[in-house]
Amino acid sequence: MILARAGTPLRLTDIDLPVPAATQVLLKVRACGVCRTDLHIADGELDRPKLPLIPGHEIVGEVIAKGSGADRFGVGQRVGVPWLGHTCGSCRYCLSRRENLCEAPGFTGYTLDGGYAEYAVAEQDYCFALPQKYGDSEAAPLLCAGLIGYRSLVAAGDAETLGIYGFGAAAHLIAQVAVWQGRRVFAFTKPGDCAGQDFARQLGAEWAGDSTQPPPRPMDAAILFAPVGALVPEALRQVAKGGTVVCAGIHMSEIPAFPYSILWGERTLRSVANLTRQDGEAFLAIAAQAPLKTHVQTFALAEANLALAQLKNGRIQGAAVLIP
């Protein structure tokens, strides 16, 4: 499924089978998650994609061929491919173990072709072995919703009481991890989204309400998965002194002006950008241990536009996944 131009539907296209470079693996795609970032790319809100582009950065695939220098995985092995597809290894960020901020990165499904396809290539060093307890469609959301969610959870510190704004793919995974860690989770949805609030309670949230409501008590931290800038001052108002508000998305609408008083008290407002491979290894180790269940709705590859539309309209509970 190819995006030729922002704002236009993806189209089903036959192309030549990709050939892996020396350090790459060729994958037969078993499943590929549909992420809100894909929607931002398709809508033109992230405006520097490679075009034409095969989107998709939550790839579960089977290694069917390897480049001459690729020896990390064997043919027939199942691997996962995340958003971070390449780093330079030599900039000041890479050299200080902050490769998520690399000056010359490659991003799967954005600057590199991704997994909305039957086959894909990926750099072996940026792929992950996947926990065996997850099926292909269940494993796909772990590779972005899970990984970015995990980095956001780490950024929230040791918060005992955690608010989550926007209960989509990432939130439904990280809420389960937070509950497993012994935290109290408060979930915030769009006003009127009773189904989303019920879903959050089913996954262990102690309280669920809409984003205009105050939680039962001040929170130690909040994570914003919803790309809505107006939620930033709202979350700041609801966290206690010394608390942290984490903006987890790659894109957000404009943040309105807010009074200094809601930031004062040593509250912290921060963003999360991309991921590191260390994040991936750490989160997948947790996913192998924790009683974590991914809730997915599957679509055929040719239904990618439908999946994106349903994601945009808030009709996906959990995560959407394409099955070639």
Side-chain angles (χ1 to χ4, degrees):
M1 291 296 283
I2 288 182
L3 176 70
R5 190 174 71 253
T8 63
L10 279 62
R11 70 175 190 271
L12 189 64
T13 307
D14 287 324
I15 63 172
D16 292 336
L17 191 70
V19 177
T23 56
Q24 291 182 326
V25 289
L26 173 63
L27 304 175
K28 181 174 178 59
V29 178
R30 293 184 179 179
C32 185
V34 178
C35 179
R36 185 162 291 274
T37 300
D38 302 336
L39 193 57
H40 293 315
I41 295 167
D43 286 348
E45 293 166 328
L46 294 177
D47 59 0
R48 297 182 182 179
K50 166 186 123 40
L51 291 175
L53 172 72
I54 303 173
H57 58 272
E58 297 177 313
I59 307 170
V60 176
E62 176 187 345
V63 177
I64 62 169
K66 305 188 294 179
S68 59
D71 55 6
R72 187 167 172 231
F73 301 105
V75 171
Q77 187 169 352
R78 187 179 73 154
V79 301
V81 183
W83 170 251
L84 187 68
H86 171 78
T87 56
C88 72
S90 58
C91 71
R92 66 190 181 107
Y93 297 108
C94 287
L95 294 176
S96 58
R97 302 186 69 184
R98 294 178 292 167
E99 66 181 8
N100 59 305
L101 302 177
C102 175
E103 297 279 23
F107 296 121
T108 311
Y110 185 46
T111 62
L112 307 169
D113 279 331
Y116 285 21
E118 294 176 315
Y119 297 89
V121 292
E123 289 288 336
Q124 64 166 4
D125 288 341
Y126 294 81
C127 297
F128 298 112
L130 295 170
Q132 290 302 312
K133 73 175 186 176
Y134 297 95
D136 297 334
S137 59
E138 289 76 25
L142 301 177
L143 292 159
C144 184
L147 292 182
I148 296 299
Y150 172 73
R151 188 171 180 86
S152 303
L153 184 62
V154 171
D158 58 358
E160 176 187 343
T161 304
L162 177 71
I164 298 178
Y165 287 79
F167 211 81
H172 101 280
L173 294 174
I174 293 312
Q176 295 177 71
V177 173
V179 170
W180 177 68
Q181 291 176 335
R183 306 176 193 241
R184 302 171 66 184
V185 173
F186 299 155
F188 298 83
T189 70
K190 291 179 180 178
D193 185 6
C194 297
Q197 293 163 24
D198 289 342
F199 185 45
R201 294 187 196 98
Q202 292 168 22
L203 296 180
E206 181 177 316
W207 174 91
D210 72 53
S211 57
T212 66
Q213 297 176 293
R217 53 165 284 183
M219 302 177 297
D220 299 313
I223 301 174
L224 274 60
F225 291 114
V228 181
L231 291 175
V232 171
E234 183 58 34
L236 283 170
R237 289 186 176 94
Q238 304 303 340
V239 297
K241 289 185 288 186
T244 300
V245 173
V246 181
C247 300
I250 194 171
H251 172 81
M252 179 176 276
S253 60
E254 188 169 330
I255 300 172
F258 56 84
Y260 177 64
S261 59
I262 64 173
L263 181 62
W264 188 78
E266 299 197 347
R267 293 173 179 86
T268 299
L269 174 62
R270 62 163 300 172
S271 68
V272 162
N274 311 314
L275 71 143
T276 67
R277 285 170 285 179
Q278 185 177 4
D279 293 330
E281 298 294 348
F283 171 69
L284 291 171
I286 288 173
Q289 300 174 39
L292 182 61
K293 180 174 175 57
T294 59
H295 295 255
V296 301
Q297 183 174 342
T298 59
F299 297 81
L301 177 61
E303 296 177 314
N305 290 309
L306 174 62
L308 288 167
Q310 292 200 8
L311 177 62
K312 188 173 188 175
N313 293 327
R315 295 178 183 169
I316 302 294
Q317 191 171 84
V321 177
L322 301 182
I323 306 296

